[in-house]
Amino acid sequence: MRVSNADSGGPLADAAAALVDRRGVVTGWSRAAEDLLERPASDVLGRSVLRLLAGPGPAAAGTVPDSGTVTLLRRSGRPVTVCYRVERLRESTQMLILAVTADRASETERAEALSRALLSQDRIGFVLRDTELAVVRTNIVYGRFPGPPLPVGSRLSDVMRPSDAAVAEAALRGVLESGEAFAGRDQRVRSAQPTYGDWSWSVSAVRTEDGNGRPTGVAVLLTDATEHWRAARRRELRHRASAEIGGTLDVRRTAQEIVDMLVLDFADYAWVDLADAVLTGDEPPKTFGGGDLHLRRAAVCSADGSWPGELLQPGGAVPPLPDLPMVRNLQEGRTIVVDRAALERGLADPARVRLAAPEDGHSMAVAPLFARGLVLGDVAVWRADRPDPFDDEDAALLTEVAAHAALSVDNCRRYTREHRAAVTLQRRLLPQATTSTRVMETTGAYVPAAGGAEIAGDWFDAIELPSLRTALVVGDVTGRGLHATATMGRLRTAVQTLADLELAPDELLTRLDDLVTRLADETDPANRDAVGATCLVAVHDPVTRRCTVAAAGHPPLIMAVPGGPARSVAVHPGPPLGVGGLPFEARTVDVPPGSLLALYTDGLLQRYGTDIDDATRDLTDRLARLQSSGGDLPALARTLMTDVEGPPPRDDAALLLARTSALDAADVASWEFPADPAAVASAREAATGKLAEWGCEGNAFVTELIVSELVTNAVRYAGGPVGVRLIRGEVLFCEVTDPSNTQPRLRRARTTDEGGRGLFLVAQLSRRWGSRYGPSGKTIWVEQELSA
């Protein structure tokens, strides 16, 4: 008989085997025995096994012990110590003797001892897998090692979720194919079978081989790293909460940041409910107990990205709650953890349960957003797909996250309140958005900055001037916040006052520049650089159909003529207001009737791109297209301000659109008279004749007195020529022009005075009066209501 397993591998690959009858005669001899003792079968078969011993042995085969250690002689005479074991065959008189060298036996014993030690551990997991990664031996059984049990013959996909199993199997197969071991690799383990759970193992793996170096499987050592993994997750969640929550000053966006941070790593569903008052910037009322808590769903998030339709939807009002201990705990600032059954018992209403619990949810935790003694709302999380319920450590972590989030929400709330106050102040300081006169229609629009920026000082104004002229103004104050809004209010008031003086646009900007310089001098030296503004002023005259424009560091006016292109009105811009020392230049352009004028701040250009020139061209092209469409001005303004792709800019924007009209030539009459006392009568006759032609006889008497007084003063004190002009619009304007630059002054004459009552009478008989200066001389104008 010849027995050999040298080619098959395994623990008996090197064992020598011999068959011996009951007399001790060798009847079978293996190839391994030939190799071990250097004796062929022909030298051994039929002879006593005792002849192989190196020293004295038992007298008979029956006295041979079943196992032990003996020294044998090789054919060369060299001794070899072996460990043997005798196996007595049933229903036969023969015995099978297996022997290995002593050192190999010691090695096998140590390996077996190691195997027994590993398999007896409850803190170190041991798994021996074959080449198909099926379990051959393991100590990971139910209740002994944290994690799912690994029965003999099982595969990874049998006990772990497919995603986790795929990752682990790829790593083990890499060891099996390459022979490169790995150590301390983190592996997430989520059980695919009851009892469900979520663990983390630290995995080390090495390839096992037979005597010929061929792979036989993978030996895996495991240690439970779940606590370290959970602690690391908690640290990471805390870090993410501090890094990701509070990056904006918008309440709803901050609420969305909270739920986005909690889902996947901590929960499967999350939402934030906020008090209605918080969403508008006010402090929430202090409540205790159940009822309508005036909460509204501000943000939601789920693991699969879709929000179940049966749950309360974003923006929905939270229905009244019963007076439950869990509600009172939340109002007192404590986090609660409940399972689905407890929630269903507490709410006692299937409709409420459907709004508050996802269909597959099994564990819920709710933490109040508690800041400065006020409950701003709450953050709630559910677990559904992950099997482990929320525990005390999870509750403590959610409490910590909610505390940080509450501060961010409160900061957003307070900013919302301040922002709302600033916007309200800003809007109240601005004029009415739309005006309409016989010669011009205007629409203004203002949009605050987005993304948490403060309110700035952008403004616009359309000021009616005498003789049907209109001053169009747009400006942008340097800086942000309430101080910029207050500065804007002061500048707008100053512009209105200077406009009433009927100064030319360049002169008006010069006076305004002096005012800004004085404001800077009154400011703290550390903040003087923040006091400044840009401004553009345009004065339109419907009689001459011309517009005079001047700018102080401001983007140019855009004009779109009917049936033609739109273009920027190139004006040499002066420095921004507050720089001082440099002049402003004005330019006068013709404005056909029906033209569209656009005055804007640089915040509007930012909506069209970062490059100013490209943004200006884009805005000009859009204005030309809108002009040709013939839409109403408010709609055009909304389109220009809001119909722009890209993120909202971080600067305020103001826009003033004006559509011009021309005054009919038949509504204007003008004459010129010499500096002769006789011209007074001629001027009266001409004025009364034109009023009769217009059907305005009811204004004839007052107009005759006004013309007589003003022409008389011009002839007496200023010289000629003297110009007289009547303009019929919504009111009647009477203008007298002379070459003098002397300012007329209204005074109260004494009883004994023989003169000085002329301007007093003019002021009493008219609605208002005033004067303006031209390139040479001045014009005194008087405005009166048209008689029916």
Side-chain angles (χ1 to χ4, degrees):
M1 175 180 178
R2 189 179 294 268
V3 181
S4 174
N5 63 351
D7 295 333
S8 61
L12 298 179
D14 299 327
L19 279 176
V20 181
D21 63 14
R22 58 186 179 85
R23 295 174 299 162
V25 177
V26 178
T27 61
W29 194 247
S30 71
R31 183 179 299 172
E34 290 180 346
D35 296 337
L36 178 63
L37 296 182
E38 302 171 353
R39 295 177 183 273
S42 59
D43 287 354
V44 179
L45 293 177
R47 299 183 181 184
S48 175
V49 72
L50 298 178
R51 294 183 58 196
L52 303 176
L53 299 177
T63 63
V64 176
D66 288 345
S67 63
T69 302
V70 298
T71 302
L72 304 178
L73 283 175
R74 290 189 172 97
R75 187 174 185 180
S76 61
R78 292 182 296 110
V80 58
T81 303
V82 298
C83 294
Y84 72 90
R85 181 178 182 86
V86 178
E87 293 290 342
R88 305 183 186 277
L89 303 181
R90 292 185 178 183
E91 299 181 0
S92 175
T93 60
Q94 294 186 334
M95 297 178 293
L96 174 65
I97 301 176
L98 298 175
V100 295
T101 59
D103 57 348
R104 176 61 186 273
S106 299
E107 180 183 343
T108 303
E109 289 178 359
R110 288 193 296 269
E112 188 63 26
L114 175 61
S115 178
R116 287 195 302 270
L118 289 174
L119 292 173
S120 65
Q121 291 293 316
D122 58 2
R123 298 180 63 86
I124 299 177
F126 173 69
V127 184
L128 183 62
R129 295 183 179 273
D130 60 19
T131 55
E132 298 299 323
L133 299 182
V135 175
V136 177
R137 301 185 72 181
T138 183
N139 67 336
I140 300 179
V141 296
Y142 179 75
R144 187 172 184 181
F145 189 83
L150 302 178
V152 173
S154 64
R155 301 285 301 275
L156 292 167
S157 57
D158 297 332
V159 295
M160 296 166 58
R161 288 193 183 181
S163 57
D164 298 338
V167 173
E169 183 170 344
L172 295 180
R173 196 160 294 283
V175 174
L176 191 63
E177 294 173 355
S178 67
E180 295 183 4
F182 62 76
R185 184 179 180 277
D186 293 331
Q187 173 64 51
R188 187 174 183 183
V189 180
R190 288 172 289 186
S191 176
Q193 300 175 355
T195 58
Y196 298 102
D198 196 351
W199 301 271
S200 178
W201 287 347
S202 178
V203 183
S204 301
V206 62
R207 185 171 74 181
T208 60
E209 301 173 349
D210 61 13
N212 296 323
R214 291 177 298 192
T216 60
V218 180
V220 183
L221 289 176
L222 310 169
T223 56
D224 181 26
T226 304
E227 288 303 317
H228 297 287
W229 171 65
R230 288 177 178 173
R233 285 178 59 198
R234 289 192 289 268
R235 288 194 301 270
E236 175 65 18
L237 204 63
R238 293 188 186 97
H239 173 73
R240 288 183 56 198
S242 61
E244 298 179 10
I245 299 176
T248 175
L249 290 174
D250 182 83
V251 175
R252 293 183 184 274
R253 287 180 59 188
T254 298
Q256 192 63 47
E257 291 171 351
I258 298 171
V259 296
D260 290 344
M261 188 271 303
L262 289 172
V263 169
L264 292 182
D265 286 342
F266 187 72
D268 299 311
Y269 298 92
W271 67 69
V272 169
D273 295 333
L274 294 176
D276 289 333
V278 172
L279 295 172
T280 59
D282 297 322
E283 288 190 351
K286 293 185 178 181
T287 57
F288 195 72
D292 189 356
L293 303 182
H294 303 285
L295 296 173
R296 193 167 298 275
R297 186 129 307 167
V300 299
C301 187
S302 66
D304 62 2
S306 61
W307 191 247
E310 64 273 10
L311 292 178
L312 184 64
Q313 298 300 302
V318 177
L321 297 174
D323 191 2
L324 299 172
M326 67 178 71
V327 175
R328 293 177 176 264
N329 286 335
L330 285 172
Q331 293 167 338
E332 293 173 355
R334 291 191 290 271
T335 299
I336 63 169
V337 175
V338 295
D339 57 20
R340 188 183 187 92
L343 183 68
E344 291 175 347
R345 289 194 302 270
L347 294 179
D349 184 351
R352 286 180 175 175
V353 172
R354 285 193 297 271
L355 289 175
E359 185 177 358
D360 53 350
H362 62 84
S363 180
M364 177 189 188
V366 187
L369 295 172
F370 202 69
R372 298 185 301 107
L374 298 173
V375 179
L376 308 177
D378 61 72
V379 52
V381 290
W382 274 93
R383 283 182 177 169
D385 191 37
R386 62 183 68 207
D388 50 318
F390 292 109
D391 55 21
D392 292 340
E393 290 186 354
D394 293 327
L397 178 59
L398 183 61
T399 301
E400 187 174 340
V401 171
H404 172 78
L407 294 178
S408 298
V409 171
D410 192 50
N411 288 337
C412 295
R413 179 196 65 79
R414 298 169 69 179
Y415 169 78
T416 301
R417 182 184 60 192
E418 299 299 329
H419 189 268
R420 184 183 61 188
V423 170
T424 301
L425 176 61
Q426 177 91 336
R427 294 191 184 281
R428 291 194 176 185
L429 288 175
L430 292 174
Q432 59 181 347
T434 302
T435 63
S436 180
T437 65
R438 181 176 178 180
V439 294
M440 179 171 286
E441 177 189 2
T442 67
T443 290
Y446 169 76
V447 176
E454 293 183 273
I455 288 297
D458 294 16
W459 90 93
F460 61 86
D461 216 338
I463 306 170
E464 293 186 34
L465 300 178
S467 305
L468 299 180
R469 294 174 305 128
T470 306
L472 305 174
V473 185
V474 69
D476 185 358
V477 173
T478 303
R480 302 182 184 279
L482 289 176
H483 73 279
T485 303
T487 302
M488 179 272 286
R490 298 174 73 174
L491 294 184
R492 179 173 177 254
T493 302
V495 169
Q496 289 181 326
T497 302
L498 295 172
D500 282 341
L501 296 178
E502 299 191 73
L503 300 176
D506 53 341
E507 179 63 22
L508 187 151
L509 290 177
T510 300
R511 301 287 184 88
L512 200 61
D513 181 60
D514 294 338
L515 172 62
V516 174
T517 301
R518 290 197 300 272
L519 293 178
D521 292 338
E522 297 172 0
T523 306
D524 185 347
N527 298 323
R528 285 181 182 173
D529 292 341
V531 178
T534 64
C535 186
L536 185 140
V537 180
V539 175
H540 175 256
D541 189 341
V543 177
T544 63
R545 303 181 181 183
R546 310 190 80 189
C547 186
T548 303
V549 187
H554 203 83
L557 174 145
I558 298 176
M559 179 173 65
V561 299
R567 63 183 179 90
S568 296
V569 177
V571 178
H572 190 278
L577 300 175
V579 175
L582 295 175
F584 300 97
E585 297 182 12
R587 179 186 177 187
T588 301
V589 294
D590 293 327
V591 181
S595 296
L596 189 62
L597 306 178
L599 294 80
Y600 51 91
T601 60
D602 58 358
L604 179 61
L605 292 180
Q606 292 181 19
R607 284 163 161 76
Y608 291 88
T610 56
D611 185 84
I612 297 299
D613 294 334
D614 291 343
T616 303
R617 284 192 292 269
D618 191 3
L619 178 60
T620 302
D621 294 341
R622 288 173 182 260
L623 189 66
R625 292 194 297 269
L626 294 174
Q627 162 74 339
S628 62
S629 68
D632 64 299
L633 284 188
L636 299 185
R638 286 192 299 271
T639 301
L640 290 174
M641 292 291 276
T642 60
D643 190 15
V644 182
E645 297 180 357
R650 299 181 63 84
D651 193 10
D652 292 26
L655 171 68
L656 179 62
L657 292 181
R659 181 173 282 144
T660 64
S661 300
L663 194 64
D664 194 333
D667 291 329
V668 180
S670 59
W671 304 272
E672 189 174 279
F673 301 99
D676 186 343
V680 176
S682 300
R684 286 199 303 265
E685 292 175 2
T688 54
K690 178 56 69 173
L691 291 178
E693 180 183 335
W694 286 342
C696 300
E697 292 86 349
N699 295 92
F701 176 72
V702 173
T703 303
E704 190 175 3
L705 289 177
I706 291 172
V707 169
S708 178
E709 179 59 33
L710 295 182
V711 172
T712 298
N713 287 344
V715 170
R716 181 179 299 175
Y717 302 112
V722 178
V724 177
R725 185 168 71 167
L726 295 179
I727 302 175
R728 182 180 62 172
E730 286 87 353
V731 295
L732 178 65
F733 290 95
C734 177
E735 298 179 344
V736 175
T737 303
D738 62 56
S740 172
N741 288 325
T742 303
Q743 172 70 37
R745 184 168 60 89
L746 179 65
R747 65 186 181 89
R748 184 178 295 277
R750 293 183 297 236
T751 307
T752 57
D753 291 342
E754 296 182 358
R757 296 178 177 84
L759 282 181
F760 179 78
L761 289 174
V762 169
Q764 295 299 311
L765 294 174
S766 63
R767 191 170 77 165
R768 59 175 183 159
W769 72 283
S771 63
R772 63 176 177 271
Y773 294 93
S776 61
K778 67 177 182 296
T779 298
I780 301 175
W781 56 267
V782 179
E783 178 183 315
Q784 55 180 309
E785 297 285 352
L786 283 172
S787 298

